[in-house]
Amino acid sequence: MRGDFFEKGWACFPPEPPLMTWADHAKDHAKIAVQAAENEHLHQCEGTWFVGLDALPNDEMGRVRGGAPLQGEAVEFVKRYYGGWPALHKAQISVLYPGYPKPRTGENDAGFRYRKNRDAAHVDGIIGLGEPKRRFVQEPHAFIIGVPLTTASETASPLVVWEGSHHIMRTALQSAFAGLSPEDASALDVTEIYQNARRLVFESCPRVPVHGDVGSAMLVHRLALHGVAPWADDATADPEGRMIAYFRPEIAGGITAWLSDL
């Protein structure tokens, strides 16, 4: 598993009872969050995507209001190869529905075409700011872990990863950040470097849909280009939609650690 993950940039750990229990409990609270009036602004793309940032009321161990901590083989893998398990933020509850994608509020035609044709592919932590948009590394994460909360078919807007893309991204970004202080690194405009690396990824890396059942865990390398596929005509899901809880804890050591070989 170690070699596959660090070579491909993703892994899907099969369902196991402790994570099934966690997902079932978390789902009850996720449903409340989706319907909460204070989260109305998180319904985007004409109602086909609940963005759900920081919407799950979990603590730093992943416990959701009296539930168990997040646990399982994916957690143990991170502990073994990433030097421990970090404190968790409130999870994103990403919910997709039939008809996704529709244009997002404020999204121009080019942005919507990219969402539809390229799955809105991105590297987490590289943030677009200003107008015209320029990109900076503002939120360097340690890893991405997704836990499905509902049953959905493989074509119900799955997570997609460009396999091996983290190698290309790391090479391009390491060159850009070489020799910079932490202060200068956070202010570095990486727009063209990122776009050029992304273009190379599209040309040379296979696009792989990653699907998991309830009780599984999907682990994605922090530098992997990834996105969300459109909802296919033949897709099916629970009435709650295709619902995944995502954790992206920030990495200790900032951008330097973010660009390290792990």
Side-chain angles (χ1 to χ4, degrees), residues 166-180:
H166 58 302
H167 301 300
I168 292 173
M169 287 293 173
R170 179 188 287 120
T171 297
L173 292 167
Q174 279 181 337
S175 297
F177 285 100
L180 294 183

Side-chain angles (χ1 to χ4, degrees), residues 47-189:
T48 60
W49 179 30
F50 179 74
V51 180
L53 289 173
D54 300 325
L56 191 66
N58 58 273
D59 66 11
E60 292 184 348
M61 295 294 293
R63 291 180 292 240
V64 184
R65 293 184 176 171
L70 195 69
Q71 54 192 308
E73 287 301 313
V75 173
E76 295 306 313
F77 182 93
V78 168
K79 289 179 180 178
R80 188 176 306 123
Y81 296 114
Y82 280 95
W85 183 250
L88 296 175
H89 57 90
K90 291 183 178 180
Q92 176 190 13
I93 307 167
S94 178
V95 191
L96 278 298
Y97 304 98
Y100 177 85
K102 303 292 185 183
R104 189 173 183 179
T105 301
E107 192 169 56
N108 60 27
D109 290 343
F112 177 59
R113 285 196 302 272
Y114 186 74
R115 177 177 302 280
K116 184 177 181 179
N117 299 327
R118 289 294 195 185
D119 309 304
H122 61 283
V123 172
D124 281 348
I126 301 179
I127 307 300
L129 301 173
E131 189 59 46
K133 188 177 292 184
R134 307 299 295 176
R135 298 189 179 275
F136 304 85
V137 180
Q138 298 281 302
E139 299 172 0
H141 303 296
F143 53 85
I144 305 160
I145 188 168
V147 182
L149 304 184
T150 58
T151 297
S153 67
E154 295 183 6
T155 57
S157 288
L159 166 72
V160 291
V161 179
W162 276 261
E163 194 166 277
S165 57
H166 58 302
H167 301 300
I168 292 173
M169 287 293 173
R170 179 188 287 120
T171 297
L173 292 167
Q174 279 181 337
S175 297
F177 285 100
L180 294 183
S181 68
E183 294 78 14
D184 290 338
S186 62
L188 180 67
D189 184 342

Side-chain angles (χ1 to χ4, degrees), residues 219-232:
L219 185 65
V220 180
H221 193 281
R222 59 182 176 263
L223 295 176
L225 192 72
H226 63 283
V228 177
W231 190 285

